[in-house]
């Protein structure tokens, strides 16, 4: 008798599915693992898997909506007396705080993203949404003109710099990434000050 | 008698083909124009077109190898007494100097790239090559450690910031882009100096 393996299909734990899929992609290559492979490995049926994750990209980038929402929330919570640039940077860096148990899969996700053009493309669109959220905040709170070169460059520096730092962390970093990203954004500054 | 239209197929001017294709993509959408459409419009046969441009991406990104080569050349020409960061920035900015007649197609290319995920993905890989060229230069000339956070952030800030500035230029800029990119990279710095 194996009651746990019989009867109705097991409940789907979306996070666990994504975590397993990411590990399969890392081990065997993103292009060489199909949605069917993931479904089989997790013992869920194909339709169920597609309901949770409409594409393979989503298995890797599934947390992107939450990441954007964390940035939005952080920006909404900024008190009016704060310097808008510093506050935007803080809100962005705080969005990169992950629970301890999510660190390893976050690292694997970043390695995958750097290795696949399809995943990179999704990332470009994702970062552009975060950049726009920050740009809107700078316009609303900092009194800058929308679409000005200044707002564009400052928001892009934060998001692109943060991404570069996260990729570095995924390859070489130890411990959680937020403090490293903050330090890295500071290093970027020294270039420009030349 | 129409002698110019008869006889052997017309000589292929690759730059003109790319320029026309980019205009077609802008007018009708990148996804809605096929290689066959481009071949027909230019009066060249399909196989010839594919020989010059193995994919639609190449019609838009065809100049990327030359752009990378311009950066390499600029870095090779740096005299030893120069500050490596300033020299890298100068070499990068100089690679963004285009002949007057190429400005309009450059602008259209950037607008297309920003509008298409597939084209964005190619751009990520392209910029990573430029970033690596700059990082290698900083290691060789600046005595920095390869793969250090500092080199990664400084090279990424240049290339990502330059790209953000070029996209802004494509939408709002007037005249040639190089001076604007230089100014924009300076603006990025002010953020970080906070």
């Amino acid at each position: 008798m194996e009651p746990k393996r019989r009867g109705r299909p097991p409940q789907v734990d979306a996070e666990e599915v994504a975590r397993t899929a990411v590990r399969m992609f890392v081990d065997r290559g993103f292009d060489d693992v199909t949605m069917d492979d993931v479904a089989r490995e997790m013992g869920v049926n194909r339709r169920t898997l597609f309901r949770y994750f409409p594409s393979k990209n989503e298995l890797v980038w599934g947390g992107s909506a939450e990441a954007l929402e964390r940035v939005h929330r952080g920006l909404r919570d900024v008190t009016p007396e704060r310097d808008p640039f510093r506050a935007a940077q803080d809100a962005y860096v705080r969005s990169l705080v992950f629970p301890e148990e999510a660190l390893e899969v976050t690292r694997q996700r970043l390695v995958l993203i750097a290795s696949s053009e399809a995943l990179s493309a999704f990332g470009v669109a994702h970062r552009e949404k975060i950049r726009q959220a920050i740009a809107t905040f700078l316009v609303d709170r900092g009194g800058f003109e929308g679409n000005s070169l200044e707002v564009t460059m400052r928001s892009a520096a934060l998001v692109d710099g943060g991404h570069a730092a996260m990729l570095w962390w995924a390859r070489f970093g130890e411990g959680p990434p937020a403090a490293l990203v903050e330090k890295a954004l500071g290093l970027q500054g020294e270039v420009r000050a030349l």
Side-chain angles (χ1 to χ4, degrees), chain A:
Chain A
M1 275 198 358
E2 293 166 309
K4 276 195 290 192
R5 285 303 201 173
R6 298 269 166 99
R8 63 198 169 91
Q11 197 84 17
V12 173
D13 176 341
E15 271 184 46
E16 201 199 331
V17 171
R19 207 158 37 231
T20 302
V22 165
R23 200 168 311 119
M24 292 169 75
F25 297 151
V26 168
D27 289 346
R28 292 155 51 185
F30 183 67
D31 292 337
D32 293 335
V33 176
T34 65
M35 288 293 267
D36 283 334
D37 294 334
V38 175
R40 206 173 310 120
E41 178 76 23
M42 295 304 296
V44 299
N45 76 46
R46 187 187 152 80
R47 254 180 62 197
T48 308
L49 180 62
F50 272 98
R51 186 146 42 79
Y52 282 84
F53 300 98
S55 72
K56 276 206 301 182
N57 277 355
E58 298 284 335
L59 281 161
V60 181
W61 276 105
S64 65
E66 286 72 25
L68 177 61
E69 180 47 34
R70 279 201 299 277
V71 174
H72 273 297
R73 206 160 44 226
L75 292 171
R76 256 197 319 268
D77 290 347
V78 172
T79 51
E81 79 285 0
R82 294 210 61 201
D83 174 278
F85 293 115
R86 168 55 61 187
Q89 174 164 328
D90 286 351
Y92 174 69
V93 170
R94 266 201 317 278
S95 80
L96 300 172
V97 174
F98 303 95
E100 175 77 30
E101 66 274 16
L103 286 184
E104 196 48 36
V105 68
T106 300
R107 195 185 291 274
Q108 291 171 336
R109 280 196 164 100
L110 287 162
V111 171
L112 276 178
I113 287 163
S115 73
S116 154
E117 285 210 1
L119 290 169
S120 285
F122 192 99
V124 171
H126 169 61
R127 286 195 296 285
E128 176 58 15
K129 281 181 208 152
I130 296 183
R131 194 197 66 71
Q132 281 174 5
I134 292 169
T136 302
F137 170 84
L138 292 176
V139 168
D140 291 350
R141 301 286 190 101
F144 291 97
E145 233 186 292
N147 287 332
S148 68
L149 182 62
E150 193 162 24
V151 162
T152 301
M153 293 307 296
R154 291 181 174 211
S155 52
L158 209 50
V159 176
D160 294 337
H163 181 62
M166 286 297 287
L167 289 180
W168 191 93
W169 169 79
R171 291 184 62 197
F172 308 111
E174 284 166 26
L180 180 114
V181 171
E182 183 143 47
K183 179 185 160 199
L185 291 172
L187 286 175
Q188 220 185 1
E190 290 167 36
V191 204
R192 305 275 161 259
L194 279 168

